[in-house]
Amino acid sequence: WEEYYAKHPDGFKVSQFKYWYNEWTKEVSPVMHLTHKAGDKLFIDYTGKKLTIVDRSTGELQNLEVFVCVLGSSQYTYVEASASQKKEDFIRSVENALWYYGGVPDALVPDNLKSAVTKSSRYEPKVNDTFADFAEYYETAVLPTRTYKPRDKAIVENAVRIIYTRVFAPLRHQTFHSIPDINKAILGLLDAHNKMSFRGREYSRRSLFEEVERQELKPLPLKRYEIKSYAKGTVHKNSHIYFNKDKHYYSVPYKHIGKRIKIIYSESLVEIFHKLERLAAHPRERKKYAYTTIKEHMPSHHRFVSEWSSEKFIAWAGHIGENCKGYIIKILDKKQHPEQSYKSCLGVLHLTKKVGNTRLDNACKRALDYGAYNYNIIERILKNGWDSLEEDIEQEIDMPNHDNIRGGHYYK
């Protein structure tokens, strides 16, 4: 008006100017009244102002972001302080709000913050992958507001202004030392705010929510969402991928050896994908440099080797005969570590394919009587007989116990 009046001294005075200016704004900037359907949308925003906590030991101040969301029909409000607006904090705040309401609306309407929207657009905004996965888990949609269009979320903008009065103001003279402490105080003030009647009306946000909106919300899932993160890797020749985050190995079907894969992991689960196909899913383990293996993922010959154990060889020998069983036990006992004898045991047990169970069991009895325990002895007994080998066996037993692998068998 001052600029106008300087140019037109005989023009409208200030009160009349304001009247005609307001009439003009109604024509050039109309506002559409929106009637919100019960259970339809949850409007989400952060306050511009921040709350503060004080480090108990150092006295350092930490500013907190304040998350605000409002159900469209009842205007039932949820408020929470968090360390940041980062993806993890944002998603956890939205989830806390859903559990506070006890149900899920048809759509979430966030502002265009990076934790929700990676690329804003008037027509096809790109929703953050993790937030989109969160929405899918809760069976709801994400409808970001248009950029620089505060009227798209006027209901939550108005809620923010009220929260400054009913939450920020009562807390300004109090000191808090942790986020849980300040959120406990916020919940008390929030409960009073939701129970307070609307101006000039006899009902409150809480009563409107209970009567109209609660039953329109979809039920919550059985457990909370686990935030997922992403990594890349390659399937190694041993049918495993290396998960660098935990320095742990997970198995993948061997036919995918050499492929580049995508790892999607949460606190409890590791999933492995190639393009859009899920190759494997494992409970998350955090033991460094250990292996989590599903035996069906490995080739049959690798699977057989991985199942070697002392118990397996003893049970196998027991089916051939008691002498064979005793002989296998002796082979296993004579080594510092059982795995040193596994190939020798395997060689002895495979001889049954050539000579049958009875003959192999008798050869083991001869070798047990003489106290000679290795594959080479049994093979020579079966081939040349016992008597002609007594001197050779004597030399074998007196030789130092140094085993080498040749052609898949142990030799002195």
Side-chain angles (χ1 to χ4, degrees):
W1 174 79
E2 289 175 352
E3 293 177 358
Y4 159 81
Y5 198 69
K7 295 178 181 178
H8 307 282
D10 298 328
F12 296 122
K13 302 301 182 183
V14 63
S15 58
Q16 201 171 16
F17 180 88
K18 287 181 178 180
Y19 170 78
W20 289 113
Y21 180 81
N22 287 330
E23 291 297 309
W24 175 76
T25 58
K26 291 177 184 178
E27 296 178 9
V28 299
S29 184
V31 176
M32 181 175 68
H33 175 72
L34 294 176
T35 301
H36 295 285
K37 178 185 173 184
D40 185 35
K41 292 176 182 176
L42 178 67
F43 295 87
I44 298 167
D45 202 2
Y46 281 91
T47 63
K49 299 178 183 179
K50 303 181 190 301
L51 293 174
T52 304
I53 57 174
V54 182
D55 188 284
R56 195 183 297 273
S57 56
T58 65
E60 182 181 358
L61 301 180
Q62 179 186 350
N63 287 328
L64 302 179
E65 301 290 342
V66 181
F67 171 91
V68 179
C69 63
V70 181
L71 284 170
S73 180
S74 63
Q75 298 185 42
Y76 198 46
T77 307
Y78 177 76
V79 180
E80 176 183 303
S82 59
S84 71
Q85 293 187 25
K86 291 181 180 178
K87 176 178 65 179
E88 292 78 8
D89 289 326
F90 169 69
I91 291 178
R92 196 58 63 212
S93 293
V94 176
E95 183 171 48
N96 290 341
L98 297 180
W99 286 78
Y100 176 79
Y101 294 132
V104 183
D106 292 332
L108 306 175
V109 185
D111 199 356
N112 281 268
L113 69 160
K114 289 293 185 183
S115 298
V117 181
T118 54
K119 183 180 180 182
S120 55
S121 167
R122 184 180 181 90
Y123 305 106
E124 289 289 340
K126 171 65 175 174
V127 178
N128 179 288
D129 287 343
T130 305
F131 190 47
D133 186 68
F134 167 83
E136 183 179 352
Y137 180 81
Y138 277 95
E139 297 183 354
T140 187
V142 179
L143 303 175
T145 60
R146 295 173 296 171
T147 53
Y148 308 111
K149 296 291 183 181
R151 288 177 183 171
D152 284 3
K153 53 186 178 69
I155 188 170
V156 71
E157 295 275 357
N158 186 54
V160 167
R161 287 193 292 270
I162 298 173
I163 291 303
Y164 285 149
T165 302
R166 297 183 181 175
V167 173
F168 278 64
L171 295 179
R172 71 186 187 279
H173 298 306
Q174 300 182 50
T175 301
F176 299 94
H177 301 288
S178 70
I179 295 177
D181 286 345
I182 199 169
N183 276 329
K184 185 177 180 180
I186 287 172
L187 281 177
L189 296 169
L190 183 62
D191 187 54
H193 163 70
N194 282 322
K195 289 179 178 177
M196 191 177 298
S197 295
F198 288 103
R199 185 175 299 175
R201 301 176 191 178
E202 297 181 354
Y203 53 86
S204 66
R205 292 168 177 82
R206 179 65 180 269
S207 63
L208 201 59
F209 170 74
E210 295 292 349
E211 293 174 14
V212 176
E213 197 145 31
R214 179 188 286 276
Q215 61 268 27
E216 299 300 327
L217 297 176
K218 292 180 288 188
L220 292 165
L222 294 177
K223 65 176 185 177
R224 286 178 172 252
Y225 174 77
E226 291 188 2
I227 294 177
K228 295 177 181 177
S229 301
Y230 304 87
K232 292 182 179 180
T234 303
V235 183
H236 297 172
K237 290 185 177 180
N238 63 355
S239 303
H240 288 73
I241 59 99
Y242 177 66
F243 180 42
N244 188 60
K245 178 84 173 176
D246 298 332
K247 295 179 171 55
H248 193 89
Y249 294 88
Y250 294 95
S251 67
V252 173
Y254 68 91
K255 66 180 180 180
H256 300 289
I257 289 172
K259 290 181 179 178
R260 293 284 296 169
I261 50 87
K262 182 178 183 180
I263 304 168
I264 301 178
Y265 61 96
S266 64
E267 282 296 310
S268 63
L269 187 68
V270 174
E271 298 176 282
I272 303 160
F273 290 82
H274 176 63
K275 296 181 178 178
L276 298 178
E277 179 188 1
R278 190 172 83 163
L279 308 182
H282 298 274
R284 187 172 176 183
E285 301 287 346
R286 290 172 173 79
K287 187 176 181 181
K288 291 184 177 180
Y289 306 111
Y291 285 77
T292 296
T293 305
I294 296 174
K295 64 180 182 180
E296 288 76 16
H297 288 170
M298 302 169 66
S300 57
H301 58 286
H302 289 180
R303 199 182 312 164
F304 176 75
V305 171
S306 70
E307 292 173 352
W308 284 0
S309 67
S310 298
E311 293 77 12
K312 180 181 178 69
F313 287 121
I314 292 170
W316 187 353
H319 291 298
I320 296 172
E322 287 301 314
N323 294 314
C324 185
K325 180 179 178 180
Y327 193 73
I328 291 297
I329 291 172
K330 289 292 185 181
I331 293 177
L332 292 169
D333 286 345
K334 78 169 186 173
K335 300 296 181 183
Q336 185 176 4
H337 192 284
E339 289 187 19
Q340 291 179 300
S341 301
Y342 284 174
K343 285 192 175 181
S344 184
C345 291
L346 193 64
V348 171
L349 296 171
H350 275 170
L351 287 171
T352 188
K353 296 178 181 178
K354 295 181 179 180
V355 300
N357 291 354
T358 302
R359 191 175 171 195
L360 177 60
D361 195 53
N362 289 334
C364 289
K365 183 179 185 304
R366 288 290 186 95
L368 280 169
D369 291 341
Y370 208 87
Y373 312 117
N374 65 52
Y375 163 80
N376 196 31
I377 294 294
I378 296 296
E379 186 183 46
R380 290 165 68 183
I381 290 174
L382 291 169
K383 186 176 181 179
N384 301 317
W386 173 261
D387 295 334
S388 62
L389 292 176
E390 283 192 354
E391 291 184 5
D392 291 340
I393 291 172
E394 190 76 48
Q395 293 176 4
E396 293 261 6
I397 295 170
D398 292 339
M399 287 175 65
N401 187 16
H402 298 300
D403 288 352
N404 294 305
I405 303 174
R406 294 178 184 171
H409 304 304
Y410 278 93
Y411 286 81
K412 287 288 184 181

